[in-house]
Amino acid sequence: EVQLLESGGDLVQPGGSLRLSCAASGFTFSRHAMTWVRQAPGKGLEWVSVITGSGVTTKYADSVKGRFTISRDNSKSTLYLQMNSLRAEDTAVYYCAKDPDTTGYSYNHFDYWGQGTLVTVSS
Amino acid sequence: DIVMTQSPDSLAVSLGERATINCKSSQSVLYSSNNKNFLAWYQQKPGQPPKVLIYWASTRESGVPDRFSGSGSGTDFTLTINSLQAEDVAVYYCQQYYSTPYTFGQGTKLEIK
């Protein structure tokens, strides 16, 4: 059974940093691209970042480029999102999501999502 | 960036009736080399993560009831829910994965009339 478990969400002050983790199980982690999607309270879904299965290629939304870094440790089946220079508008539930393709590349829908972790940026 | 626009923003349908949600992309999401539309539909219930219903615009995800169907090509797409059930109350999102940044529609809230 595929499971994605996010952690690391917290209350942080503007300008602060946070690292989110997504522990994966139930599939061969290194074969799948992985994505972060966020959802501000009461709002819609916003794609944040994607990383290929090898970790070589990453892409970001303009709203987080230069501040967030996606990475993965395939030996630990874990996805990360390092978030720096946090702003109030980064307040959201952050979901990790799995790409169904086993080539490790992206350009697919997301077939499994975690339950999300809440990041609140406020003084 | 490809902008995804859904209509309507909210919808109330009687139990057993049909619900139709539309999604329009600002540019085509049809990839000519494989003739696939890079378009998915998700359902999100309160307090839960999104769940994929349809991908490649019309392929139903395993386990999704066949009352859910997707259609359309290029820039115009439709999610149809036949014989609406109480458990279908949710927010529905379309999403393009043709190019990054992947983008979602603003969501359509479906309620029971």
Side-chain angles (χ1 to χ4, degrees):
Chain A
E1 178 192 6
V2 171
Q3 291 194 346
L4 299 171
L5 184 61
E6 302 95 336
S7 61
D10 204 349
L11 171 63
V12 60
Q13 292 189 340
S17 297
L18 210 56
R19 188 176 85 156
L20 306 183
S21 299
C22 171
S25 61
F27 63 102
T28 304
F29 184 69
S30 61
R31 290 187 179 179
H32 296 266
M34 296 293 293
T35 285
W36 287 99
V37 174
R38 68 184 181 182
Q39 186 169 36
K43 302 298 183 182
L45 302 168
E46 180 187 14
W47 174 81
V48 172
S49 182
V50 63
I51 186 168
T52 53
S54 65
V56 169
T57 301
T58 60
K59 296 189 179 181
Y60 299 90
D62 284 347
S63 58
V64 307
K65 199 173 295 183
R67 300 187 299 123
F68 290 11
T69 302
I70 191 171
S71 63
R72 62 193 297 158
D73 184 336
N74 286 343
S75 69
K76 296 181 178 179
S77 295
T78 302
L79 175 72
Y80 302 101
L81 186 67
Q82 178 66 43
M83 310 165 66
N84 298 330
S85 303
L86 282 161
R87 306 166 179 167
E89 54 264 36
D90 296 318
T91 295
V93 172
Y94 285 74
Y95 296 102
C96 64
K98 170 185 164 289
D99 185 305
D101 192 273
T102 56
T103 66
Y105 288 88
S106 190
Y107 299 106
N108 263 296
H109 64 285
F110 312 131
D111 60 349
Y112 286 92
W113 298 61
Q115 290 297 312
T117 188
L118 176 62
V119 173
T120 303
V121 184
S122 175
S123 55
Chain B
D1 298 1
I2 299 176
V3 177
M4 308 299 289
T5 304
Q6 292 180 225
S7 61
D9 290 334
S10 63
L11 182 62
V13 175
S14 300
L15 290 173
E17 296 301 305
R18 177 182 299 168
T20 301
I21 300 171
N22 300 301
C23 175
K24 188 175 185 67
S25 57
S26 61
Q27 64 188 74
S28 176
V29 298
L30 173 63
Y31 191 39
S32 56
S33 68
N34 61 9
N35 202 37
K36 285 187 173 183
N37 288 283
F38 284 53
L39 188 286
W41 289 96
Y42 298 87
Q43 175 193 64
Q44 187 178 31
K45 297 181 179 180
Q48 296 184 20
K51 168 190 170 184
V52 65
L53 299 173
I54 303 287
Y55 56 95
W56 302 130
S58 60
T59 301
R60 194 179 306 111
E61 174 75 340
S62 175
V64 172
D66 61 6
R67 64 178 181 274
F68 291 90
S69 63
S71 63
S73 184
T75 61
D76 292 279
F77 301 91
T78 300
L79 175 69
T80 301
I81 309 170
N82 287 310
S83 189
L84 189 74
Q85 305 295 303
E87 61 263 32
D88 300 334
V89 169
V91 178
Y92 293 83
Y93 296 93
C94 61
Q95 179 230 344
Q96 66 81 18
Y97 45 96
Y98 181 88
S99 65
T100 57
Y102 300 145
T103 45
F104 293 87
Q106 79 276 18
T108 295
K109 186 175 184 178
L110 176 60
E111 299 174 315
I112 303 297
K113 185 186 293 183

